[in-house]
Amino acid sequence: MTDLKIITEQTRDYNFHAHTQFCDGRDDIATIARAAEKVGMKHFAFTPHSPINITSPCNMKKEQMTEYLYEMKRIQSEYEGRMNILTSLEIDGLGSEYGPHIDYFQNLPLDFRLGSVHFVPNQDGIFLDCDGKFERFNQYLKEGYKGDLRYVVEKYFEQVLIMIERGGFGLLGHFDKIMGNASLVDPTIENQGWYEALIDDVVSHVKSSGMIVEINTKAFYDKGRFFPNECWWHKLQVAKISLAINSDAHYAEKVTAGRTEAFRRLQEQENK
């Protein structure tokens, strides 16, 4: 497995999170690789949304895996000596029975595994996608979660903690992504004690696991925030947790979007 910590200690010219035509990305692997090389990337990872055991138009299918791995071998060979291209997946944590830890993902020839949560089970155990457009989230909240926002948020973080506990991956993706939508329903949530306790639980679990936490910059220019929220970075720094700043690019022109600003702000916090 590739040691991402060593890469982050040696250079800022990396990105460990990008999507292509194999899931919900808008450009193909070759196009994004060219864009990454053009901006000076030394290490670049492709992380299509993994196959999952529920219906999702955004996740790749198992029958695409052979094609994906073949294309990655080809692109790695093409860029050998110029840019270190890494083969990975963004694997959904869907509870104790499905996530990065299962044999299917452990047996794939990946350079590392990125673990993330996008789906939250409702009170009836039905998984709903809580990422993406707010209008859809708000409809799910009203019709699927019985209007109980705190339930959704707490259940999301429960999924994150289960995924960390089960392990099988080295990089934790956007661990508070639920707030992209939840904070639009109630902008005060991140100021409430019960919510900060959820953040503290994640930090504690990550510290014990030794994994890396992603600072996801995808929404910075559009929505003015990072995931995790910038207000929690000091907790990660105090806990001496390794961080990786990733753009979560879905378009070639966004392979570095928001990363420079995140590095600047992280350095400012470290200097305080």
Side-chain angles (χ1 to χ4, degrees):
M1 299 295 286
T2 300
D3 192 330
L4 303 185
K5 290 183 182 180
I6 291 178
I7 293 174
T8 61
E9 290 168 359
Q10 293 177 340
T11 182
R12 291 183 174 184
D13 296 326
Y14 67 82
N15 187 68
F16 303 140
H17 194 163
H19 298 281
T20 68
Q21 81 277 19
F22 283 96
C23 55
D24 61 348
R26 299 300 186 265
D27 290 308
D28 59 28
I29 287 175
T31 301
I32 290 185
R34 286 195 298 272
E37 183 182 41
K38 186 176 181 180
V39 298
M41 287 290 177
K42 295 182 174 65
H43 306 271
F44 196 86
F46 289 95
T47 56
H49 290 290
S50 70
I52 52 178
N53 58 356
I54 58 177
T55 301
S56 169
C58 295
N59 291 67
M60 71 183 296
K61 310 300 181 186
K62 274 190 176 182
E63 52 266 31
Q64 294 178 288
M65 189 60 67
T66 298
E67 180 187 356
Y68 168 63
L69 294 175
Y70 177 84
E71 176 62 8
M72 288 305 299
K73 285 289 187 182
R74 186 195 69 77
I75 206 78
Q76 285 172 328
S77 177
E78 178 180 340
Y79 282 85
E80 186 175 3
R82 292 154 47 197
M83 182 168 62
N84 177 32
I85 293 182
L86 303 171
T87 302
S88 185
L89 290 171
E90 183 175 14
I91 305 171
D92 277 286
L94 297 171
S96 60
E97 301 303 319
Y98 199 94
H101 66 282
I102 68 172
D103 288 345
Y104 174 72
F105 295 118
Q106 291 298 305
N107 292 331
L108 290 174
L110 304 175
D111 292 308
F112 70 94
R113 299 175 190 86
L114 167 63
S116 299
V117 171
H118 302 90
F119 300 86
V120 179
N122 66 12
Q123 292 91 332
D124 298 316
I126 299 172
F127 280 89
L128 301 175
D129 186 354
C130 288
D131 200 9
K133 294 183 178 179
F134 172 72
E135 292 75 17
R136 182 181 63 182
F137 173 82
N138 202 32
Q139 181 179 355
Y140 282 162
L141 176 62
K142 294 175 180 177
E143 300 175 3
Y145 296 106
K146 304 176 183 178
D148 192 340
L149 182 63
R150 181 162 174 171
Y151 168 87
V152 179
V153 173
E154 290 182 334
K155 202 68 176 177
Y156 172 92
F157 278 93
E158 180 182 313
Q159 296 289 105
V160 172
L161 294 180
I162 290 172
M163 186 174 65
I164 296 171
E165 289 169 353
R166 297 308 299 266
F169 66 105
L171 177 60
L172 176 62
H174 49 56
F175 73 71
D176 64 349
K177 190 69 185 296
I178 188 68
M179 298 314 296
N181 282 320
S183 65
L184 296 179
V185 179
D186 182 358
T188 72
I189 284 185
E190 290 170 288
N191 299 323
Q192 297 178 24
W194 66 267
Y195 180 79
E196 184 170 358
L198 297 177
I199 297 294
D200 288 337
D201 276 346
V202 173
V203 173
S204 176
H205 277 65
V206 170
K207 183 176 181 179
S208 298
S209 74
M211 65 180 55
I212 302 173
V213 165
E214 166 188 85
I215 293 178
N216 189 297
T217 67
K218 178 186 174 185
F220 176 68
Y221 288 123
D222 294 336
K223 300 178 181 178
R225 69 175 295 156
F226 301 103
F227 298 101
N229 194 321
E230 188 177 353
C231 65
W232 309 124
W233 293 1
H234 71 284
K235 291 180 180 287
L236 298 166
Q237 292 170 313
V238 169
K240 301 187 183 304
I241 290 170
S242 296
L243 305 174
I245 297 180
N246 298 325
S247 68
D248 192 358
H250 286 61
Y251 300 83
E253 64 267 25
K254 295 187 176 182
V255 293
T256 61
R259 293 182 72 254
T260 298
E261 184 65 16
F263 275 117
R264 185 185 69 79
R265 295 189 184 194
L266 188 62
Q267 187 65 54
E268 287 178 351
Q269 288 204 16
E270 290 175 350
N271 292 338
K272 288 182 179 179

